[in-house]
Amino acid sequence: MRYSGIGGQAVMEGVMMKNQEKYAVAVRKPDGEIALEVSEYKGIIKNKKIRNMPILRGVFSFIESLYLGVATLTFSASFFEEEETDQKEKTKKQREKKVLTEEQQKRQDSLMMGGTVAFSIVLAVAIFMILPYYISVFFQKFTDSYMLIAVLEGLIRLAIFIGYVAAISLMPDIKRVYMYHGAEHKCINCIEHGMDLTVENVRKSSRLHKRCGTSFLLIVMIISIFFFMFIHVDSRVLRLVLRLVLIPVIAGVSFEFIRLAGRSDNALINLLSKPGLLLQHITTKEPEDDMIEVGIASVEAVFDWKTYVEEIRQEDSREHDISGSN
């Protein structure tokens, strides 16, 4: 399988696809039409040498994914306002918006996005890092083995994360998001396996992918266990501080693994990728054909899949000729 370099996210009734600095959001509107927005996002760090440094690129990628996720979710949600909203109130808000200049509006939107991303990070750290640590402290009454406590903390963190993912999958709206998540993966798998990007081909492609954000988060949880097993300090306050300080490092290491997994078919890498792929059975669902059409629209807006697929076929043909001559 050849690496395409494109990635995406599912949003409300839609899919976002990103290729380098260009990204597109395709949304199935209530009237059945597909709305498409294509934009550029150069990232929080403009210097390419810095943003491409191992470990650091994972930290930047994680923050940027959160930012884009909020931005694209806001765009998709704008098509699904509550019908009972008073029309006069909407008109009033529109008038107030027009008072702002375009530059002021962009600045206001940027601040709101930044605030939402910051709040999301703080909440995630509190639930998935700090809470498991304090729960694990309880077990110190029964054992003085620091490594055992670290493993228990990691298992608690995994249980909370998997439980959260499974619980929200029961919500109808989230179930549809998971279906669009499946459409996103199937579109990428389709072209990475050298098939034309059609509804029929996408439908028979796998909904699991090694470069998935779900796999990334699971790898973060697993790698954190090994980090904290071998970093021991007596002070409880310092232990907590270290957990917070090491989050970017753990995220960076996890990103490097996901990046390697996406480019490699090594048996060991495939084995280590299995837990993330298994979790994707929860976070992705088989999409409907109209969802696949949305995924295809988002891919075509940012990626020349026809040239890419043709290159794959030419490579396969050359390899076949070489093996045949031997």
Side-chain angles (χ1 to χ4, degrees):
M1 184 177 70
R2 191 171 172 221
Y3 174 69
S4 66
I6 64 170
Q9 295 180 14
V11 296
M12 185 180 296
E13 294 299 325
V15 174
M16 184 275 284
M17 286 289 182
K18 187 174 184 293
N19 181 27
Q20 297 180 6
E21 295 177 349
K22 190 177 181 182
Y23 72 94
V25 192
V27 178
R28 179 73 71 179
K29 297 195 296 184
D31 62 8
E33 292 184 9
I34 297 177
L36 184 68
E37 182 180 69
V38 182
S39 305
E40 284 192 1
Y41 180 61
K42 296 186 177 180
I44 55 177
I45 302 294
K46 305 298 185 291
N47 188 303
K48 290 187 177 181
K49 287 185 177 179
I50 295 176
R51 64 178 290 111
N52 288 328
M53 291 177 64
I55 308 298
L56 283 180
R57 62 190 171 195
V59 178
F60 300 144
S61 178
F62 177 64
I63 296 172
E64 289 166 5
S65 294
L66 281 175
Y67 183 88
L68 280 179
V70 172
T72 53
L73 187 61
T74 301
F75 171 76
S76 65
S78 67
F79 296 102
F80 302 93
E81 295 178 352
E82 294 293 332
E83 292 182 5
E84 62 268 19
T85 301
D86 185 75
Q87 188 62 41
K88 290 182 180 179
E89 186 65 26
K90 289 170 75 175
T91 305
K92 181 182 175 183
K93 287 181 180 178
Q94 287 170 355
R95 285 202 207 100
E96 289 173 352
K97 251 186 174 179
K98 287 178 182 177
V99 174
L100 297 173
T101 66
E102 187 176 342
E103 186 177 340
Q104 288 174 325
Q105 187 61 48
K106 285 182 178 179
R107 190 181 299 117
Q108 187 181 77
D109 291 343
S110 181
L111 286 172
M112 287 180 64
M113 295 294 178
T116 303
V117 170
F119 176 75
S120 300
I121 292 174
V122 170
L123 188 62
V125 168
I127 295 174
F128 300 117
M129 297 300 289
I130 297 177
L131 179 60
Y133 168 72
Y134 278 110
I135 294 175
S136 70
V137 169
F138 170 78
F139 291 97
Q140 292 181 10
K141 298 177 182 179
F142 308 101
T143 179
D144 57 358
S145 171
Y146 181 79
M147 293 186 73
L148 180 58
I149 294 298
V151 171
L152 285 171
E153 178 188 346
L155 293 176
I156 292 167
R157 185 175 296 113
L158 280 169
I160 292 174
F161 175 64
I162 295 172
Y164 168 79
V165 167
I168 65 172
S169 70
L170 301 176
M171 301 167 61
D173 287 344
I174 298 299
K175 184 178 179 181
R176 288 190 64 80
V177 171
Y178 284 176
M179 291 171 76
Y180 276 104
H181 190 194
E184 172 220 327
H185 283 189
K186 289 168 84 74
C187 284
I188 296 174
N189 276 322
C190 177
I191 58 177
E192 287 187 342
H193 285 83
M195 296 189 291
D196 287 343
L197 193 61
T198 64
V199 172
E200 183 180 356
N201 286 340
V202 171
R203 194 190 304 122
K204 61 188 180 185
S205 298
S206 173
R207 74 175 198 264
L208 310 180
H209 200 285
K210 290 190 288 185
R211 293 199 312 274
C212 176
T214 303
S215 296
F216 168 76
L217 292 175
L218 185 64
I219 292 297
V220 166
M221 305 290 172
I222 295 172
I223 288 180
S224 69
I225 297 176
F226 294 98
F227 265 75
F228 302 144
M229 276 178 63
F230 299 103
I231 299 176
H232 175 59
V233 291
D234 293 329
S235 169
R236 286 186 180 179
V237 175
L238 189 53
R239 279 184 222 162
L240 184 57
V241 170
L242 280 172
R243 276 154 176 73
L244 299 178
V245 170
L246 287 172
I247 288 174
V249 180
I250 295 169
V253 173
S254 302
F255 177 84
E256 295 302 322
F257 173 80
I258 292 295
R259 191 169 183 269
L260 175 63
R263 297 168 179 264
S264 172
D265 279 326
N266 178 275
L268 178 60
I269 296 297
N270 287 339
L271 179 63
L272 294 174
S273 300
K274 283 290 184 184
L277 294 174
L278 288 172
L279 187 58
Q280 287 176 43
H281 283 283
I282 299 177
T283 62
T284 65
K285 302 295 181 185
E286 286 296 331
E288 298 168 356
D289 285 358
D290 62 341
M291 295 176 172
I292 292 174
E293 291 171 356
V294 172
I296 290 174
S298 64
V299 172
E300 292 184 329
V302 296
F303 190 69
D304 182 6
W305 65 266
K306 292 181 181 179
T307 300
Y308 175 83
V309 167
E310 182 59 31
E311 289 174 355
I312 289 180
R313 289 171 180 170
Q314 289 175 1
E315 287 179 8
D316 289 345
S317 178
R318 283 194 295 269
E319 289 176 3
H320 182 269
D321 291 341
I322 292 171
S323 62
S325 63
N326 292 334

